[in-house]
Amino acid sequence: MPIPCTDLLRIFILNVGQADTSVIVTPAGNVVLIDVVNARKVAGLLQSLGLLDGECISCLVITHPHSDHYSGAGAIVSKHPPRHVLLASPTHCTGTPGYHALINKVEEMRVLPMFVAGCTTIQPDGGFPERTGPVFRILGPTENMIQRLAEAKAVTPNHLSLITKMNFGEFVMVSAGDAQMENWAYFDQEGLMPGSCDLVKAAHHGSRHGTQCERLERLNPKFCVVSSDPNGRHKLPDLIGAATFHVHANSRCSAVLTCDSGTVEVRVGKAGTCTAVHYSEAADSEILFATEQPLLAVSNLTDWKALVRRRLDEP
Amino acid sequence: MRVYMPIRLPLERTYYPASRDEPEQLLCWIPPHELEALIKAGRAPARLRDEHPLGLELEVSAHALSQAGIELPAPADSLKAAYLKLRNERRLPASGYVQATYLEQGTRDNHAPLITAAADMIAEPEGVLPSGLAPEPAMSAGEEPDAAMRRLARLAEE
């Protein structure tokens, strides 16, 4: 086993600027990657965790064909061949050359990429009752849903986004990619959204299209991580997004922007109890485990009110 | 035994939109051999060789180019304006892929004003592009993306 077995599930939501990368290490030492940007940082983390060059990762999930979600994946799969690759449905949008080069590389490695429409379950640590590892449910929009949005001229590549729902004991995580409100609504209707959860990787870098206030109220997470840099070109979170997190962070949970917290790590024990730490590193710097600080239940790492005011003042 | 069939890729530097729904967002594809040439010419940092072994795809914006440390032959705004001009004149090939050297030559010498421009595409193209359809880049052998993904989806179902 490349990474030593422990009793913990470790979830890293990396600070990669206005982009997404999550690294999940299961108790059995298997690695699941959800989106990969900044290959240098991801490779450094995998090496620190004990994964040697040439050793496999269990699963690579690319939520949708936007380069701020896959631009580092080519380098990582070249070093760490994936056993499974899950991609967004190619309905409506088949991606660009960078995405095609990644698919070519994966196929060249004799791994058949799988396009997720509906729900696909993966259990990297095995599915036997005695090995109660984490269960990942990858949710992707169906062809019908995309077609309906296309007919309404309302579809964007973000609508293809995969949502990952992961259970480990009592612990529940939702990692939302760049899901839009229609994606959430669809999976609500299908009964696939959890009633509440412990950790949310917020949708679409905290945009008003991805994260609505009522969604956060319903999920009621202990920790909410927004992977973005508000100074980035797309200026996310926007005004409404920032106000949403301001309201929610004040009253209920620790909501942080990765540009303020650095990488966030959530550690989950077998009983489902979780603690969170953060590393404060910059987007283009590597994670140093020695810089670990606890992420408090009510954190003031991100000044949401100041961001709301700044957005109000912007032209 | 499954036969490996790659998706066709541009063999030279190419400009194209992020998707048909995002025409205002221009991307540039730099295949590995051109990335290597840029690194050797000191116009791209050496770290990109390891970080993008399959080729580099980046957004054509001053912010993204500066973050990547890449120097393209023309400013980002001029390239976007030249691409938009081609689109307005219905001179883009169906794929949307435009050979980089062709678009870049359209950013020099000409000062014709751009009549229609999206809000973030206000720069004027400065060069004259030869008339007719913009040329596509040379492409590798392989399948069109649509066909390849249909084939892969079928295989996964089996």
Side-chain angles (χ1 to χ4, degrees):
Chain A
M1 191 60 61
I3 296 181
C5 295
T6 64
D7 284 341
L8 289 177
L9 172 78
R10 301 177 74 181
I11 301 160
F12 296 87
I13 300 175
L14 274 62
N15 176 21
V16 286
Q18 195 178 288
D20 271 15
T21 301
S22 297
V23 176
I24 301 167
V25 185
T26 69
N30 291 304
V31 175
V32 174
L33 302 179
I34 304 175
D35 291 332
V36 181
V37 171
N38 194 338
R40 192 161 34 109
K41 190 164 188 163
V42 175
L45 174 60
L46 293 176
Q47 191 179 33
S48 307
L49 293 167
L51 195 69
L52 305 176
D53 283 3
E55 289 180 330
C56 288
I57 56 168
S58 184
C59 185
L60 169 68
V61 179
I62 301 295
T63 57
H64 64 294
H66 267 159
S67 62
D68 60 339
H69 292 257
Y70 65 74
S71 66
I76 295 301
V77 299
S78 301
K79 276 187 182 200
H80 302 290
R83 291 194 194 97
H84 304 282
V85 174
L86 303 183
L87 304 173
S89 161
T91 305
H92 188 75
C93 173
T94 54
T96 50
Y99 192 61
H100 302 156
L102 173 63
I103 292 175
N104 285 351
K105 179 68 184 175
V106 165
E107 222 203 328
E108 188 190 304
M109 298 168 113
R110 299 284 171 205
V111 178
L112 182 61
M114 190 175 173
F115 301 104
V116 180
C119 177
T120 295
T121 301
I122 53 168
Q123 291 177 270
D125 292 358
F128 300 109
E130 65 272 25
R131 299 180 65 187
T132 49
V135 179
F136 293 76
R137 288 192 177 80
I138 317 295
L139 311 176
T142 61
E143 213 160 294
N144 277 347
M145 179 196 144
I146 295 299
Q147 292 297 357
R148 280 202 302 272
L149 284 169
E151 282 160 19
K153 299 194 187 318
V155 69
T156 68
N158 291 329
H159 286 101
L160 303 176
S161 205
L162 303 178
I163 298 176
T164 302
K165 190 175 77 165
M166 186 197 60
N167 294 68
F168 179 55
E170 298 294 310
F171 176 86
V172 181
M173 174 190 85
V174 175
S175 179
D178 277 4
Q180 306 284 285
M181 59 181 181
E182 293 90 347
N183 299 78
W184 291 107
Y186 176 79
F187 290 112
D188 268 341
Q189 284 167 19
E190 297 296 313
L192 288 167
M193 276 293 125
S196 65
C197 72
D198 300 279
L199 169 66
V200 166
K201 197 294 292 171
H204 197 205
H205 319 291
S207 88
R208 64 187 182 280
H209 305 295
T211 308
Q212 288 83 44
C213 206
E214 64 171 330
R215 176 66 50 194
L216 280 182
E217 281 172 9
R218 206 178 306 172
L219 289 172
N220 195 23
K222 289 190 189 90
F223 300 102
C224 182
V225 182
V226 185
S227 56
S228 194
D229 175 354
N231 299 315
R233 198 178 82 82
H234 299 288
K235 298 203 166 179
L236 296 174
D238 50 29
L239 170 63
I240 306 296
T244 298
F245 293 110
H246 169 57
V247 169
H248 204 77
N250 265 3
S251 58
R252 294 179 181 86
C253 82
S254 185
V256 293
L257 265 170
T258 49
C259 75
D260 297 322
S261 63
T263 291
V264 171
E265 180 189 351
V266 177
R267 295 170 189 154
V268 190
K270 278 196 169 155
T273 51
C274 66
T275 56
V277 298
H278 68 103
Y279 293 101
S280 305
E281 89 291 356
D284 55 359
S285 303
E286 293 202 18
I287 300 163
L288 295 173
F289 286 140
T291 61
E292 169 186 321
Q293 295 282 329
L295 184 62
L296 303 175
V298 177
S299 160
N300 57 4
L301 281 172
T302 296
D303 188 344
W304 291 105
K305 195 173 188 175
L307 183 56
V308 170
R309 285 191 176 133
R310 199 174 113 196
R311 291 291 186 243
L312 279 169
D313 289 342
E314 281 166 359
Chain B
M1 175 111 175
R2 184 157 65 91
V3 180
Y4 167 58
M5 175 76 85
I7 301 172
R8 300 174 78 213
L9 288 174
L11 292 169
E12 53 189 319
R13 207 152 34 81
T14 301
Y15 295 102
Y16 48 91
S19 71
R20 62 180 150 165
D21 306 302
E22 298 154 307
E24 77 291 347
Q25 204 178 324
L26 190 65
L27 303 184
C28 178
W29 168 249
I30 306 176
H33 67 278
E34 287 207 28
L35 182 59
E36 187 59 39
L38 284 174
I39 291 168
K40 284 191 175 143
R43 290 168 57 193
R47 67 177 164 80
L48 294 181
R49 188 183 290 126
D50 291 335
E51 291 175 12
H52 299 277
L54 312 181
L56 173 63
E57 181 173 73
L58 79 169
E59 190 184 339
V60 181
S61 72
H63 181 78
L65 292 172
S66 138
Q67 266 197 330
I70 289 268
E71 202 184 304
L72 290 176
D77 282 350
S78 301
L79 290 164
K80 287 167 78 172
Y83 192 89
L84 183 72
K85 187 169 189 286
L86 289 175
R87 187 162 68 97
N88 289 343
E89 293 172 359
R90 298 178 188 279
R91 291 170 56 201
L92 289 176
S95 66
Y97 293 169
V98 173
Q99 195 183 56
T101 47
Y102 174 84
L103 192 73
E104 286 154 5
Q105 79 185 34
T107 63
R108 292 188 287 267
D109 305 328
N110 180 20
H111 296 279
L114 190 70
I115 296 164
T116 314
D120 63 343
M121 280 188 160
I122 50 172
E124 292 176 2
E126 296 159 347
V128 179
L129 291 170
S131 60
L133 209 60
E136 284 187 297
M139 300 291 288
S140 64
E143 283 180 299
E144 292 297 333
D146 278 359
M149 293 193 193
R150 274 200 305 274
R151 175 179 58 79
L152 290 169
R154 252 194 332 269
L155 282 169
E157 276 170 21
E158 285 166 13

